[in-house]
Amino acid sequence: MPRITTELSFADRLGTCKARWGIGRMEYMVPPGLYAVGTPTPDDPVVVTANYKMSYDMVRSSLAGHNTWLLVLETFGINVWCAAGKGTFGTDELEKRVDSVGLATVVNHRCLLLPILGAPGVAAHEVQKRTGFTVRYATIRAMDLPSYLDNDMVTTPEMQELTFTLRERLVLIPVELVLALKSIGLIGGTIFLAAFLMGGEAAGTKAIIAWLGAVFAGIVVGPLLLPWLPGRSFAIKGGIAGLGWSFVWYLLAGGAAWSVPVSLAAFLALPAVSAFYTLNFTGCSTYTSRSGVKKEMRLALPAMGAVLVVSLVLVLAGRFL
Amino acid sequence: MKGYRYLSGVTTLELRPEDCVGCGRCLEVCPHRVFALDGTKARIIDLDACMECGACAKNCPAAAITVDSGVGCASGLINEWLQERKLRRVGSGCCS
């Protein structure tokens, strides 16, 4: 059985950083199976996690100074929360893995410590029935595991409550940018070309900066300012961030000289773009529901489409009238 | 969740008290404190905090909870719609 260190090397930290930027993120995994952290005895606890390398690293580094067993499930390199949603961090895989590593012969007790965010995929009562092991949902965050273990395995209310701090939001943004890069480039190129054909190189450059600013407001500013932007809807929060960018751009680009239709178009289209990208951040958030996002999309997508069409008409009308 | 509140009146979460056995599992797995235990029955105390993750329903041994859980991100839903209309193949994108 592999005995693993709780210290993260430079390569581990670099790997985390690369995954945050979307580099090799879908292949960032460790082999599933049973690992020994420290020098565990058959009486020591079994901690369960996913085989996404970043999840595995967070768990093993938080277990420094504790002797535990680490059971890593095959989630195909996906983190606990997303894998539980898909069902790969689930009852069947847990049963299979407990069986294949012969856990019942390795430990004397019959208890598994699971991350709380793994619960959407695991039916604790089913696991008990099928394997004889009792599931205990320990904590949400790996960093709370030491205090949980030292505290007679009692989950405090803080260990069980989700948060979405500035830092937690910040680390999610790079990969969102990278994932959107292709569409940002394609649409940006089209916008540049259209503006270039209509008004020359200066117009093209201005249009593409306006576009990039709106995208940035939607992907970076909206999520960072999330709790402080007014409204509950992500689209509205993003729209307000985009409106902020519209003002900034108006001042930077000498908006006072713009025609009325162009000014109107800018103040309509740019917030719509930002609204779309912030709405997409619902996928990263820890408190939005599927039904809520569906409702938002049913209202927001047609509205965004309409706003963009109106803006286009305004620009064209302003030119030909 | 502290400092955050999403749209109200949208969640599909339902608890049938007559089926509840009062084991308290739903309280354990819910990351948003939606449930409380009143003696031998669970009760929903903060319905609008529900993010429809499905952990409570999955872990309810009495099947007293139902919720339409699933992918909740915008791009995931767009992918789903496109797949339903056969405009995109299954398996592309992060949320498929």
Side-chain angles (χ1 to χ4, degrees):
Chain A
M1 161 160 356
R3 191 176 305 280
I4 55 173
T5 168
T6 56
E7 281 194 21
L8 298 187
S9 66
F10 174 73
D12 296 328
R13 291 179 203 278
L14 182 69
T16 296
C17 189
K18 279 163 72 179
R20 291 289 191 200
W21 284 95
I23 305 166
R25 175 166 159 268
M26 300 314 282
E27 296 86 37
Y28 198 47
M29 51 183 104
V30 294
L34 189 64
Y35 296 81
V37 179
T39 47
T41 68
D43 293 320
D44 282 315
V46 179
V47 174
V48 182
T49 192
N51 81 325
Y52 182 36
K53 173 98 169 25
M54 202 192 294
S55 312
Y56 159 89
D57 277 354
M58 280 184 181
V59 173
R60 73 181 164 104
S61 66
S62 74
L63 289 173
H66 289 83
N67 297 318
T68 54
W69 303 99
L70 184 60
L71 183 65
V72 177
L73 303 189
E74 172 67 279
T75 61
F76 307 95
I78 304 293
N79 68 73
V80 169
W81 169 241
C82 292
K86 290 170 201 263
T88 46
F89 189 98
T91 312
D92 292 343
E93 164 61 15
L94 184 55
E95 179 193 11
K96 201 180 116 196
R97 205 54 59 184
V98 163
D99 218 42
S100 70
V101 304
L103 193 63
T105 61
V106 177
V107 294
N108 294 330
H109 61 81
R110 290 291 176 267
C111 176
L112 301 167
L113 301 182
L114 264 70
I116 293 176
L117 292 188
V122 178
H125 51 284
E126 275 295 316
V127 174
Q128 158 101 60
K129 228 184 288 172
R130 295 198 213 162
T131 66
F133 278 85
T134 308
V135 168
R136 286 177 77 150
Y137 292 107
T139 66
I140 286 179
R141 287 165 290 270
M143 55 176 257
D144 285 333
L145 272 173
S147 23
Y148 173 83
L149 292 172
D150 294 339
N151 189 26
D152 287 331
M153 297 196 190
V154 175
T155 307
T156 64
E158 291 73 39
M159 293 175 188
Q160 204 200 332
E161 190 167 24
L162 269 172
T163 54
F164 206 22
T165 61
L166 184 66
R167 197 196 137 78
E168 284 170 334
R169 300 195 301 278
L170 182 66
V171 296
L172 300 173
I173 290 172
V175 82
E176 289 295 294
L177 275 172
V178 172
L179 289 176
L181 222 49
K182 208 167 111 188
S183 64
I184 296 172
L186 277 173
I187 300 171
T190 313
I191 290 174
F192 176 80
L193 206 64
F196 178 79
L197 291 176
M198 280 171 68
E201 203 183 323
T205 310
K206 277 187 177 177
I208 201 158
I209 296 174
W211 157 255
L212 290 177
V215 170
F216 186 84
I219 298 183
V220 181
V221 180
L224 281 185
L225 300 183
L226 201 64
W228 303 293
L229 287 167
R232 290 185 177 185
S233 142
F234 275 49
I236 288 178
K237 286 173 184 285
I240 291 168
L243 202 59
W245 165 243
S246 308
F247 275 109
V248 170
W249 182 236
Y250 183 84
L251 295 176
L252 286 178
W258 296 350
S259 67
V260 174
V262 167
S263 308
L264 268 176
F267 277 89
L268 284 172
L270 299 180
V273 168
S274 308
F276 175 80
Y277 281 104
T278 302
L279 178 56
N280 206 30
F281 195 67
T282 48
C284 297
S285 92
T286 49
Y287 71 102
T288 53
S289 62
R290 175 182 170 85
S291 301
V293 176
K294 270 187 180 171
K295 180 181 176 184
E296 238 194 291
M297 286 176 64
R298 268 197 301 270
L299 293 169
L301 290 183
M304 288 168 195
V307 163
L308 290 179
V309 170
V310 168
S311 306
L312 194 65
V313 170
L314 278 169
V315 170
L316 291 175
R319 192 177 156 77
F320 295 116
L321 282 180
Chain B
M1 187 162 76
K2 264 183 219 115
Y4 295 96
R5 205 71 191 167
Y6 198 45
L7 311 184
S8 55
V10 290
T11 179
T12 53
L13 177 70
E14 276 178 50
L15 165 68
R16 284 175 304 281
E18 62 275 18
D19 293 333
C20 176
V21 293
C23 69
R25 269 293 189 192
C26 50
L27 280 76
E28 248 177 72
V29 298
C30 178
H32 288 302
R33 301 187 191 178
V34 168
F35 301 94
L37 203 57
D38 271 355
T40 57
K41 295 277 182 197
R43 182 167 64 91
I44 294 175
I45 53 166
D46 193 357
L47 184 64
D48 286 335
C50 173
M51 61 166 167
E52 298 180 322
C53 70
C56 52
K58 184 92 180 173
N59 281 276
C60 178
I65 302 173
T66 51
V67 59
D68 174 22
S69 60
V71 173
C73 58
S75 49
L77 283 169
I78 293 176
N79 280 346
E80 239 174 64
W81 287 346
L82 293 176
Q83 281 163 16
E84 275 166 21
R85 284 158 189 76
K86 309 234 183 288
L87 294 170
R88 188 179 181 140
R89 68 197 158 77
V90 178
S92 48
C94 83
C95 295
S96 50

